[in-house]
């Protein structure tokens, strides 16, 4: 696939890195020579210095032959115009734009982004995507990662297996025997820095991060089996009143009327604006690293500290300070891809990487075949994919036990006629079933092949 990326910042770099690693033909445009030189030196991509919406620069980058343009510059208007130019002059089939200003995205203006007006096929709003992920984490505090598939009926959760986890030292085969009606499948384990698909004979160990695919109505029971029965947060302290912090506070006010919210914002002007916007939240002006402010926010009595400032270091320190002062849990926004590896050791219970969220959204449209959803795990080490089975798929019509799936791939759930089926050896996948599959990075191409119009597979 030939892809033109406008913007070589953190998100643009991350997208280029993933696509180039998968042997796609990638061109990157940015007005900063420094960023273009850096991305050209480190990745197998072509770099072009210039304005991402200018026709001549897009032409140089190969827009005429491109299958997709991904516009993720810092400016919404540049991203929108880049998609318009790519459509009008170069007839690029798929156009993706990052749009951050919420005024463009309100319901009454949804018709703006159509082929007749502004031809953008996929809109990515990082604030909304990340905000919704924060809200899902707050609703399931025992999980370190939460992603939904199949019309929200299938949930993938990352569960930390701690010292008091009841199923530590339990083989997965025995887990199935103990809970035959659980409706959940352990599809991946992250252990000692490596992510792998476990066999039925493998044992869950202390310190493992287990990825489990479960029916939505079985998620809390699954978390309880792994020793996580933490109640939904009723007292939340939010550090940072930017777009994401404000989105989360607004949503909590409207969706969880009993939740008490306190928000700390360093800018006085922003704090005043937020106080006028929110109805029930208490707004505190000050630094989230000031212990006096944290005490004023009653962080010691809070269920969760959610650190959503623009600075990773502030988020980490505020989260650690909150735990030391008595806060039960913390959730931190981490932009730097190097920090997640140390998050747990630093005292971070759960984190969200906005770049990973955005990349997952784009991968859904890069993957070939009937792919409905994609989520990247552990900085690209694996993916969870939701795909629709075609009549020609090698999965259709045979019991799962008779299909020789490669190592590194595990079927987590089958969604058929509005119902979630837990896969076992006897289940036969039918055409139009939606399958949720876990695959390590090196096997993603084979997963794509399973769901393409082809009679050949391995």
């Amino acid at each position: 696939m030939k892809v033109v990326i406008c913007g070589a910042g953190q998100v643009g770099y991350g997208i280029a890195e993933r696509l180039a690693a998968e042997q796609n033909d990638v061109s990157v445009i940015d007005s900063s020579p420094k960023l273009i030189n850096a991305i050209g030196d480190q990745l197998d991509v072509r770099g072009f210095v210039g304005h991402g919406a200018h026709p001549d620069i897009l032409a140089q980058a190969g827009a005429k032959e491109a299958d997709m343009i991904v516009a993720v510059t810092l400016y919404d208007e540049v991203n929108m115009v880049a998609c318009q130019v790519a459509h009008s002059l170069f007839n690029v089939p798929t156009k993706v734009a990052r749009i951050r200003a919420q005024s463009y995205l309100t319901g009454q203006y949804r018709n703006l982004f159509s082929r007749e007006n502004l031809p953008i096929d996929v809109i990515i709003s990082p604030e909304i995507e990340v905000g919704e992920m924060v809200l899902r984490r707050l609703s399931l505090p025992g999980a370190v990662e939460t992603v939904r598939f199949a019309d929200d009926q299938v949930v993938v959760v990352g569960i930390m297996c701690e010292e008091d986890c009841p199923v530590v030292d339990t083989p997965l085969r025995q887990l199935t025997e103990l809970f035959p009606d659980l409706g959940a499948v352990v599809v991946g384990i992250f252990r000692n820095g490596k992510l792998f698909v476990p066999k039925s004979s493998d044992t869950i160990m202390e310190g493992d991060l287990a990825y489990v695919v479960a029916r939505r109505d079985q998620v809390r029971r699954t978390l309880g089996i792994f020793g996580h029965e933490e109640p939904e947060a009723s007292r939340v302290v939010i550090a940072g009143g930017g777009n994401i912090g404000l989105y989360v506070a607004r949503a909590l006010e409207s969706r969880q009327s009993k939740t008490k919210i306190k928000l700390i914002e360093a800018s006085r002007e922003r704090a005043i604006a937020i106080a006028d916007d929110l109805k029930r939240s208490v707004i505190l002006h000050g630094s989230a690293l000031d212990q006096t402010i944290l005490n004023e926010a009653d962080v010691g009595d809070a269920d969760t500290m959610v650190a959503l400032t623009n600075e990773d270091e502030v988020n980490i320190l505020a989260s650690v300070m909150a735990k030391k002062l008595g806060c039960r849990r913390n959730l931190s926004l981490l932009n730097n891809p190097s920090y997640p590896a140390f998050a747990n050791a630093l005292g971070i219970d759960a984190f969200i990487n906005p770049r990973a969220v955005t990349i997952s959204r784009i991968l859904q449209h890069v993957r070939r075949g009937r792919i409905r959803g994609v989520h990247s795990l552990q900085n690209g080490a694996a993916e969870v994919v939701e795909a629709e089975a075609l009549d020609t798929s090698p999965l259709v019509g045979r019991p799962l036990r008779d299909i020789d799936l490669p190592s590194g791939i595990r079927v987590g759930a089958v969604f058929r006629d509005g119902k979630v089926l837990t896969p076992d050896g006897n289940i036969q996948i039918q055409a139009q079933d939606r399958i949720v599959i876990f695959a390590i990075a090196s096997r993603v191409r084979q997963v794509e092949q399973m769901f393409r119009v082809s009679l050949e597979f391995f």
Side-chain angles (χ1 to χ4, degrees), residues 189-206:
I189 291 177
F190 185 68
R191 177 185 298 163
N192 298 327
K194 292 184 178 180
L195 188 58
F196 64 94
V197 173
K199 300 175 182 176
S200 60
S201 57
D202 285 336
T203 298
I204 294 173
M205 300 173 63
E206 180 185 340

Side-chain angles (χ1 to χ4, degrees), residues 55-74:
D56 56 333
I57 300 297
L58 285 168
Q60 290 177 38
K64 189 174 182 179
E65 299 83 28
D67 301 296
M68 175 184 290
I69 181 170
V70 180
V72 288
T73 75
L74 295 175

Side-chain angles (χ1 to χ4, degrees), residues 349-364:
D349 296 322
F351 63 87
I352 292 174
N353 184 336
R355 186 174 77 160
V357 174
T358 304
I359 291 171
S360 293
R361 185 90 159 78
I362 290 171
L363 285 176
Q364 177 180 341

Side-chain angles (χ1 to χ4, degrees), residues 35 45 126 137 206 212 246 307 404 414:
L35 289 177
V45 303
R137 298 282 181 86
E206 180 185 340
V212 183
L246 178 57
D404 187 20
V414 177

Side-chain angles (χ1 to χ4, degrees), residues 167 169-186 200-202 204 221 225 422-424:
V167 296
D169 297 328
T170 303
L172 294 182
R173 183 187 295 109
Q174 187 176 341
L175 198 61
T176 303
E177 294 169 356
L178 289 170
F179 306 100
D181 62 336
L182 181 58
V185 178
V186 178
S200 60
S201 57
D202 285 336
I204 294 173
R221 183 185 173 202
I225 288 171
T422 303
D424 58 27

Side-chain angles (χ1 to χ4, degrees), residues 82-336:
C83 288
Q84 179 70 69
V85 172
H87 172 78
S88 300
L89 297 184
F90 304 108
N91 199 29
V92 177
T94 304
K95 298 159 288 292
V96 181
R98 179 171 66 173
I99 298 177
R100 306 180 72 174
Q102 300 304 299
S103 58
Y104 285 123
L105 304 174
T106 53
Q108 69 246 50
Y109 304 127
R110 287 281 171 86
N111 194 44
L112 174 63
F113 303 105
S114 63
R115 294 186 70 84
E116 296 76 26
N117 299 311
L118 273 172
I120 301 174
D121 302 301
V122 183
I123 293 172
I124 296 172
S125 175
E127 284 77 13
I128 293 177
E129 302 274 352
V130 173
E132 286 296 326
M133 186 159 281
V134 170
L135 293 166
R136 289 197 293 270
R137 298 282 181 86
L138 289 175
S139 67
L140 293 171
V144 299
E145 190 138 16
T146 308
V147 194
R148 293 182 181 179
F149 294 95
D151 301 339
D152 287 350
Q153 297 306 304
V154 175
V155 182
V156 180
V157 287
I159 309 174
M160 187 59 67
C161 301
E162 298 170 348
E163 185 179 1
D164 58 351
C165 175
V167 296
V168 162
D169 297 328
T170 303
L172 294 182
R173 183 187 295 109
Q174 187 176 341
L175 198 61
T176 303
E177 294 169 356
L178 289 170
F179 306 100
D181 62 336
L182 181 58
V185 178
V186 178
V187 293
I189 291 177
F190 185 68
R191 177 185 298 163
N192 298 327
K194 292 184 178 180
L195 188 58
F196 64 94
V197 173
K199 300 175 182 176
S200 60
S201 57
D202 285 336
T203 298
I204 294 173
M205 300 173 63
E206 180 185 340
D208 283 355
L209 174 57
Y211 288 99
V212 183
V213 177
R215 293 202 321 258
R216 184 176 178 176
D217 62 348
Q218 292 289 319
V219 173
R220 291 192 182 278
R221 183 185 173 202
T222 301
L223 288 168
I225 288 171
F226 279 80
H228 290 279
E229 296 182 306
E230 298 90 337
E232 191 170 330
S234 60
R235 294 173 179 266
V236 178
V237 176
I238 300 173
N243 290 334
I244 298 174
L246 178 57
Y247 182 90
V248 170
R250 267 199 205 123
L252 287 174
E253 283 191 346
S254 63
R255 302 179 195 178
Q256 297 174 213
S257 58
K258 294 182 180 179
T259 301
K260 295 182 179 179
I261 308 153
K262 296 188 178 180
L263 191 151
I264 302 169
E265 169 54 41
S267 164
R268 179 177 176 79
E269 293 75 14
R270 179 67 177 173
I272 292 171
I274 292 171
D276 291 339
D277 189 309
L278 298 173
K279 305 296 187 293
R280 295 189 295 103
S281 303
V282 176
I283 312 303
L284 301 173
H285 168 231
S287 169
L289 300 182
D290 185 337
Q291 187 169 330
T292 303
I293 293 291
L294 291 175
N295 287 329
E296 192 176 338
D298 294 322
V299 76
D301 296 324
D303 296 312
T304 307
M305 158 65 91
V306 184
L308 302 173
T309 77
N310 291 325
E311 298 181 45
D312 286 0
E313 292 77 10
V314 172
N315 293 337
I316 292 170
L317 288 172
S319 297
V320 172
M321 288 177 66
K323 282 289 284 286
K324 291 293 185 183
L325 291 171
C327 184
R328 292 175 181 81
R329 296 179 296 276
N330 58 40
L331 171 60
S332 180
L333 195 69
L334 299 179
N335 287 282
N336 189 320

